[in-house]
Amino acid sequence: MFPNGFFGNVLSKYEDGVVKSDTITGKDFFICMFAALIIGFLISMVYILSHRKEGYSQSYVMTMTMLPTIVCIILLTINSLAGALSVAGAFSLVRFRSVAGDPKDISYIFFAMAAGVACGVGYVGFAVCFFVVLGIVMYALSVIDFGASSKRHMTLKITIPENLDYQGVFDPVLNKYTSFHKLRRVKTTNFGTLFELIYSVEIDDSTDQKKFIDELRALNGNMTINLVFFRYDDKIYES
C-alpha cells in the first residue's frame, strides 16, 4: 500500500527504489483523502477528550474534522506544481477566521492543517506518526493540567455614572482582592450618560468573588459590573 516503506510517498511510483512517476491515480487520491479524513476525525476526538471539563463548540469540532481533508484536496489538485508552491498555496487558500479566544484552540487548527498537508503531499505514514505523537502529548498535557496558574487572568468591566470621578476610586478594593490590576480602557456608553472602565486583573482562586463585586457595587452606585473569565474577551491586549 505504501511504496518504499511505511514512510514513502504514496503519490510516487517506484521501481527498484527509484521514483519513476508522480502521476496521481484514483487509488492514490482516495488513500490520501480518506487518511486525511480519519486523522481529522481523530484530532477532533483528542480535542473533545481534552476539553470535557471546560466544554467546546460542536462547530469547532466539525471544522477540525473537515480541515485536514480540505487541505489535502487542495494539495492534490495542484500536485503538478513544485512542492514548495503547493504547501504555500494550501496555507494561503485555507484560512481560519475566529474571534480572539483560547490560543490552545488555534494550535489544534494548525495541528489539523499540518496533518492535511502531510496527507496532501503523499506522506500518509508521516501524517499518522505525527498525529500519534502530538495527539498523545496534547492529551497528556491537558490531563496533568500543565502550566496551570493559581491565579486567574480576568477582565473587569465597571459601569459608572458620568459625574463620578473614577480615578483612584476603586483602587482600595482592587488592591484588596487582586494581585494585579491595570486600567486598560475607558469608554462612554448609553449616549455618553455612562462610562465603562475596563481593567485587566489577576485574582487568586481563593478570592471571594461575590464580596469583591459587592464592594465595587457600593462604589459605583450599584450599576453593572462584569467579571469576565477570559482576559482578552473584549480584545484588550497588552502592549
Side-chain angles (χ1 to χ4, degrees), residues 62-79:
M62 293 180 66
T63 297
M64 283 188 295
T65 302
M66 296 183 294
L67 190 55
T69 307
I70 296 171
V71 175
C72 175
I73 295 300
I74 291 175
L75 286 172
L76 288 173
T77 55
I78 55 177
N79 187 65

Side-chain angles (χ1 to χ4, degrees), residues 10-11 29 31-41 43 63-79 86-87 90-91 94 108-128 130-131 134:
V10 301
L11 303 180
F29 177 85
I31 289 174
C32 294
M33 184 181 68
F34 282 113
L37 183 61
I38 292 171
I39 292 175
F41 173 76
I43 291 174
T63 297
M64 283 188 295
T65 302
M66 296 183 294
L67 190 55
T69 307
I70 296 171
V71 175
C72 175
I73 295 300
I74 291 175
L75 286 172
L76 288 173
T77 55
I78 55 177
N79 187 65
S86 299
V87 176
F91 280 97
V94 180
Y108 274 91
I109 290 297
F110 283 105
F111 185 8
M113 291 184 69
V117 169
C119 291
V121 296
Y123 290 100
V124 176
F126 281 111
V128 172
F130 169 66
F131 161 74
L134 192 56

